[in-house]
Amino acid sequence: MSSSVLNRQSTGLRIFSTGFIIIWLLMAAFPFLWTLWGSFKVELDFFSIADWTNAITGDRTIAVHGSAFTGAGYEGAWVQENFGRAFMNTAIVCVFVVCISLTLGTLGGYALSRSGYRYTFWLLMTALIFRAMPPITLVSGYLPPFFEYNVWGYLPTAIIVLVAINQPFTLWMLHSFFMKIPKDLDESAKVDGCTQFQAFRHVIIPVMWPGVITTGLFSFLLAYNDFAVTTMLLNKENQTMVPKIASFLGTTQTEGNVMFAVAAVVSATAPLFILVMFFQRQIVSGLTAGAVKG
Amino acid sequence: MRHKTFLAFFAPTAIAMLLFIALPIISVIIQSVHTPHDQVFRIVENCGPFGCKEETTIDQDASAALKEAAPLGKFVGLDIYFDRGHLAISEVVQAWRESATFGEFRKKLGNLPFYRAMAFTLTYTFTVTPMLIILGFAIAIGANSLNKYLKGFVIFFSLLPMIVTPLIGSLILFWMIDSRGIIGTFIQWAAGDPDLSLKASTGLTWVMLIVYGIWSSAPFAFVVFYAGLQTLPSETLEAARIDGASRWQQIKYVTIPHLMPLVTFVALIQIMDNFRVFEPIVGFNAEAHATSLSWIIFNDLSGETQLLASAATTSVLTIICVAILLSPVLVRTWRDFNQKA
């Protein structure tokens, strides 16, 4: 916006608006910083009955470990509870879900954007309805056949299901993205004798990466953040991080276990932090692109 | 594009969606009208040294044979839909007849799982959605007047509550509002009641979940509105200023009308998303005070014996509710598409 004289804010308004933003930033960021800080303490500091400042100074932590910081929670989660396995599982699930759903979605979204027939509209509408359904409503449909064919509990099963659940959203994003790439581009390639696939391969693929990366980020988030499907479809050994954290909570009785969960939560948030840091622009553009968030 | 080429491009994604979305929906519908077979009982006379006794045992072979003949179970029509765990028609009618006042009727409805879940889900959806729009709008206006470097910083931190896994986000807040956590301690101090626990009261649990809902979804509204503000026509604003419009009047008569289509968009998306509220209930451990349809399905499926038929019925009911909420979006898309064509 132009910084004309007319646009200048009064001091009172400026203070009010800045204050409001600072309060919002505190609300948005403080819980994460607090939990990160607290994850290096013992449970009696993190949940302190005696004095809340203990969570900052770490009095009990010093009494137990001799220093205000301890990696005991992380050690418990990663070594004792084998959280690394869950981390690897999440990594595998995310990589495959993103790659497969982008491959299928790019082809499908491109076809939808280049076909002028009426049925593309109905396909998009169906996709929209599928996207709106909570994934957990489908789970009771998955279980009997998965048990029958003995594929329940394995990572590939969860990957395929997540890819399918992801498709409607991917199709919508990539469809609206391909609509923005001028049709003349691949039409002229076809005039020069390319088949549709060759036109796609040589003309569209080189220019599609910004849209694909944005869509891929959201596919990644869907796979990474999923709780309903992965909890119901994976067995204990193949659990990804989010169900694993949920299972920590079931056993909160023994002291220290809560700190395992806290450490695991911080570990699982860290990759998302990095993601937002590097891809902030793409996430924002994806959110504003239209058919988004899911 | 010719039909054949279209099919070649579209087939992989179509197959994935058919097999893992369309077929499961059909399967869920079929499951919802069947219940598992009853066990076949057999009365055997058991004679020992102390005389004969009649005993009822399960006839394993006959039960297995029955299951073999009809693996889906017994067809029961819409019975499961009407039973106590779902729409509970007879219980509702009875409660209506026996209640003198509407308040009493509502209280009785609150004991039925489906209506209990609906009460929370609808309250949640229709308080969180308007509030997150207002908060998102306020942040967008505030952030827009900052300088370029601060903007990026504000956007980075604002995205976090939305990007973070819902279960993890709710756990982080849950630990803080625990009566021994920092916010919990603060609230106890502010209320002057050292025994106050947010987890113990239904009303406070709802407030807690609603606050989480606003916290985690306001960034989405913020980002969309912020992007909308970048396209605000500066001539109109300038004209308004020259006409002597105050800052508030500029917002009211220029900015808000300009953002109105985005408000509708955010509201429609958020109503659908908030309706499926699920992870916060698990994360906040709030099922004693607040449930949702998704949570009921999850609970049916994760028990010792999986109640597939019951879960399937709730799933179908959820899909119907989502379809109702989705209808305005569908109408809008229909209109957009016809305009373009």
Side-chain angles (χ1 to χ4, degrees):
Chain A
M1 223 181 273
S2 63
S3 54
S4 64
V5 185
L6 284 165
N7 194 28
R8 203 168 287 157
Q9 290 179 338
S10 69
T11 327
L13 192 67
R14 170 141 291 204
I15 290 171
F16 174 76
S17 136
T18 316
F20 176 75
I21 290 295
I22 290 173
I23 292 174
W24 161 248
L25 282 184
L26 272 181
M27 275 167 62
F30 177 69
F32 297 102
L33 300 175
W34 179 259
T35 310
L36 172 67
W37 182 265
S39 67
F40 293 100
K41 303 276 179 279
V42 293
E43 188 181 342
L44 284 174
D45 278 334
F46 189 67
F47 293 116
S48 98
I49 311 168
D51 185 358
W52 67 272
T53 52
N54 277 358
I56 299 172
T57 54
D59 280 8
R60 308 288 312 171
T61 316
I62 294 171
V64 177
H65 294 280
S67 137
F69 296 95
T70 166
Y74 290 90
E75 199 188 320
W78 285 81
V79 179
Q80 192 180 325
E81 296 288 337
N82 211 354
F83 193 66
R85 176 81 192 260
F87 188 86
M88 279 313 293
N89 286 336
T90 298
I92 294 169
V93 167
C94 287
V95 167
F96 279 97
V97 167
V98 170
C99 293
I100 300 174
S101 59
L102 282 182
T103 313
L104 302 189
T106 325
L107 293 171
Y110 174 70
L112 284 176
S113 74
R114 290 300 186 260
S115 169
Y117 291 104
R118 190 82 187 154
Y119 54 71
T120 54
F121 171 72
W122 292 109
L123 288 172
L124 280 170
M125 281 298 229
T126 318
L128 187 62
I129 297 171
F130 284 167
R131 190 193 94 76
M133 285 186 331
I136 193 155
T137 55
L138 299 172
V139 170
S140 66
Y142 295 137
L143 291 176
F146 286 1
F147 282 129
E148 174 112 344
Y149 298 115
N150 227 344
V151 291
W152 182 86
Y154 302 109
L155 287 179
T157 317
I159 290 170
I160 292 173
V161 167
L162 285 174
V163 165
I165 289 178
N166 218 343
Q167 276 309 295
F169 167 76
T170 316
L171 277 181
W172 264 91
M173 279 284 275
L174 286 169
H175 163 256
S176 56
F177 175 74
F178 281 125
M179 287 300 263
K180 284 190 216 131
I181 297 180
K183 281 183 188 170
D184 307 343
L185 225 58
D186 35 336
E187 285 305 321
S188 56
K190 274 162 74 181
V191 169
D192 291 345
C194 282
T195 63
Q196 185 82 45
F197 187 76
Q198 283 169 332
F200 175 70
R201 203 181 161 283
H202 297 292
V203 180
I204 300 297
I205 288 189
V207 295
M208 73 178 186
W209 294 108
V212 170
I213 289 172
T214 307
T215 316
L217 279 171
F218 284 91
S219 301
F220 173 85
L221 285 176
L222 181 131
Y224 193 91
N225 287 346
D226 177 84
F227 171 62
V229 172
T230 41
T231 321
M232 301 306 312
L233 294 187
L234 289 173
N235 63 24
K236 226 171 163 350
E237 289 82 60
N238 289 332
Q239 265 176 345
T240 49
M241 282 198 280
V242 181
K244 180 88 179 173
I245 289 170
S247 76
F248 280 150
L249 299 174
T251 52
T252 43
Q253 277 78 11
T254 45
E255 199 213 330
N257 242 347
V258 179
M259 292 323 289
F260 294 1
V262 176
V265 156
V266 174
S267 315
T269 317
L272 293 174
F273 243 80
I274 296 165
L275 189 85
V276 179
M277 227 188 275
F278 283 101
F279 294 103
Q280 182 176 328
R281 220 159 44 87
Q282 283 84 351
I283 293 173
V284 170
S285 77
L287 283 176
T288 47
V292 199
K293 197 188 178 235
Chain B
M1 194 185 263
R2 287 208 315 272
H3 296 307
K4 224 177 115 186
T5 337
F6 179 81
L7 195 68
F9 273 92
F10 199 71
T13 172
I15 292 169
M17 285 197 288
L18 264 181
L19 279 181
F20 292 99
I21 303 182
L23 275 186
I25 294 178
I26 296 170
S27 150
V28 164
I29 295 173
I30 294 173
Q31 281 178 38
S32 73
V33 292
H34 287 87
T35 119
H37 293 289
D38 299 324
Q39 304 283 17
V40 182
F41 292 112
R42 195 172 45 174
I43 298 170
V44 248
E45 207 172 1
N46 211 352
C47 289
F50 305 106
C52 288
K53 256 192 317 194
E54 280 199 342
E55 267 181 8
T56 319
T57 57
I58 296 170
D59 188 336
Q60 300 289 358
D61 296 337
S63 296
L66 205 57
K67 210 174 169 188
E68 185 81 21
L72 285 168
K74 202 163 55 173
F75 180 77
V76 287
L78 294 178
D79 279 9
I80 311 178
Y81 285 88
F82 298 144
D83 73 5
R84 194 181 180 283
H86 301 92
L87 291 175
I89 300 293
S90 60
E91 282 85 353
V92 173
V93 172
Q94 198 190 357
W96 179 252
R97 285 217 191 99
E98 286 172 1
S99 312
T101 59
F102 187 71
E104 203 185 323
F105 175 61
R106 242 180 47 182
K107 211 171 149 195
K108 280 183 183 156
L109 271 193
N111 290 327
L112 300 167
F114 178 80
Y115 295 99
R116 204 164 87 90
M118 275 307 246
F120 172 70
T121 313
L122 291 177
T123 316
Y124 178 86
T125 309
F126 291 101
T127 36
V128 168
T129 312
M131 286 168 85
L132 78 88
I133 288 175
I134 294 169
L135 179 61
F137 181 75
I139 305 166
I141 295 279
N144 201 35
S145 59
L146 297 171
N147 77 42
K148 209 175 123 202
Y149 299 101
L150 281 175
K151 273 178 190 168
F153 179 77
V154 170
I155 293 175
F156 172 75
F157 280 106
S158 300
L159 282 176
L160 291 176
M162 179 189 72
I163 289 298
V164 78
T165 317
L167 185 80
I168 289 181
S170 44
L171 276 176
I172 287 178
L173 289 198
F174 180 63
W175 288 326
M176 289 174 79
I177 57 170
D178 186 282
S179 57
R180 297 161 298 163
I182 178 162
I183 299 178
T185 313
F186 175 77
I187 291 172
Q188 283 172 352
W189 172 80
D193 176 3
D195 297 320
L196 186 73
S197 165
L198 290 173
K199 290 183 261 178
S201 112
T202 301
L204 289 176
T205 308
W206 284 30
V207 171
M208 185 168 88
L209 287 165
I210 287 168
V211 168
Y212 166 79
I214 298 167
W215 180 73
S216 63
S217 306
F220 172 62
F222 156 58
V223 169
V224 173
F225 294 151
Y226 178 77
L229 285 177
Q230 309 311 307
T231 61
L232 197 64
S234 52
E235 301 88 52
T236 325
L237 258 189
E238 213 157 301
R241 276 191 220 115
I242 291 167
D243 289 347
S246 69
R247 197 149 261 280
W248 169 241
Q249 282 169 328
Q250 286 169 32
I251 289 184
K252 191 173 165 199
Y253 294 110
V254 182
T255 315
I256 291 184
H258 177 76
L259 292 183
M260 218 46 207
L262 292 178
V263 172
T264 331
F265 163 71
V266 171
L268 291 175
I269 297 256
Q270 284 300 322
I271 287 175
M272 285 186 329
D273 277 358
N274 289 331
F275 188 79
R276 27 170 140 169
V277 52
F278 165 54
E279 281 103 334
I281 297 178
V282 178
F284 281 99
N285 205 0
E287 56 266 21
H289 302 290
T291 54
S292 71
L293 295 184
S294 303
W295 184 83
I296 294 181
I297 302 172
F298 177 77
N299 193 42
D300 278 347
L301 289 176
S302 56
E304 196 89 325
T305 46
Q306 294 184 322
L307 306 166
L308 283 176
S310 169
T313 309
T314 314
S315 301
V316 174
L317 291 171
T318 313
I319 293 175
I320 293 172
C321 290
V322 169
I324 294 170
L325 290 176
L326 187 67
S327 50
V329 186
L330 292 179
V331 171
R332 244 168 71 102
T333 320
W334 166 260
R335 231 185 283 142
D336 283 1
F337 190 84
N338 282 337
Q339 267 168 11
K340 251 188 270 166

